[in-house]
Amino acid sequence: PTKWKKYDLTYRILNYTPDLPVYYVRKALLDAFQVWSTVTKLTFTESMHGDADIMIQFASGYHKDGYPFDGKGLILAHAFFPGKGKGGDTHFDEAEHWTFNSSETGVDLFMVAAHEFGHALGLSHSNEPGALMYPWYQGYDPNFKLPYDDIRGIQTIYG
Ligand SMILES: CC(C)C[C@H](C(=O)NO)C(=O)N[C@@H](CC(N)=O)C(=O)NCc1cccc(N)c1
Ligand SMILES: [Zn+2]
Ligand SMILES: [Zn+2]
């Protein structure tokens, strides 16, 4: 996987899930970016129009990128590694029930977004159980802290 050639990245939220108030979606995404910006020199700025490095959308099934979603469960989201065009773009499966800061059954948007943004920055999966980049979602953690394996991974790329 490649890496971004710049530290100041932009993102654009193209649409919102009906599962959560807009405010919670924006907060979850902002917190997920901060997971990575606190341990690197990376900065993330929202742009409200035009093209951004990381285009974020909620979609279900086929959504024109050759990686259709699979309904509820299993695949929850995906992100493209750094690069032009689709690079960095992050898609969340609308078939999931997205939650925020809650123990109700569903998928925590912050946890998944933090994982996906790891991919969007160039991180692959880690086989370290407990790592954020571990392939399997391990549920909502109210006092989440970025595990060392992920800090090491991102600092190896962005120093
Ligand atoms: C082959 C990939 C397209 C799978 C896809 C993924 O890893 N996206 O980043 C995915 O959604 N994997 C699920 C697997 C699963 N249902 O547990 C996942 O939760 N990945 C996101 C995730 C979120 C938060 C933490 C962790 N460790 C993983
Ligand atoms: Zn997609
Ligand atoms: Zn993943």
Side-chain angles (χ1 to χ4, degrees):
T2 51
K3 61 176 271 189
W4 295 100
K5 309 258 175 306
K6 55 188 177 178
Y7 284 108
D8 302 318
L9 301 170
T10 56
Y11 67 95
R12 183 168 165 213
I13 305 171
L14 290 171
N15 63 357
Y16 289 85
T17 171
D19 298 352
L20 290 168
V22 165
Y23 169 78
Y24 283 165
V25 174
R26 299 177 58 79
K27 176 96 177 83
L29 297 174
L30 192 74
D31 291 352
F33 279 123
Q34 278 173 356
V35 162
W36 302 108
S37 58
T38 49
V39 293
T40 60
K41 286 181 279 193
L42 292 162
T43 70
F44 301 97
T45 308
E46 182 178 15
S47 72
M48 311 305 271
H49 49 79
D51 213 15
D53 298 312
I54 299 175
M55 302 289 267
I56 296 166
Q57 66 172 304
F58 290 83
S60 45
Y62 289 91
H63 54 282
K64 303 194 194 63
D65 66 1
Y67 302 93
F69 281 135
D70 58 353
K72 205 171 167 65
L74 208 54
I75 296 183
L76 308 176
H78 57 219
F80 293 84
F81 285 128
K84 298 213 172 317
K86 283 221 160 302
D89 292 3
T90 302
H91 302 158
F92 297 94
D93 189 350
E94 188 51 80
E96 313 304 333
H97 175 63
W98 296 101
T99 60
F100 177 71
N101 246 357
S102 121
S103 50
E104 69 171 278
T105 42
V107 185
D108 185 71
L109 181 59
F110 161 74
M111 292 292 287
V112 176
H115 173 94
E116 297 310 327
F117 294 158
H119 290 312
L121 296 173
L123 287 178
S124 303
H125 283 151
S126 160
N127 46 29
E128 179 77 30
L132 176 60
M133 296 314 293
Y134 190 66
W136 302 95
Y137 174 67
Q138 292 151 65
Y140 166 63
D141 173 358
N143 29 31
F144 170 82
K145 271 193 64 49
L146 189 61
Y148 177 67
D149 182 73
D150 304 291
I151 297 176
R152 200 171 38 73
I154 199 71
Q155 289 185 343
T156 307
I157 305 179
Y158 294 99

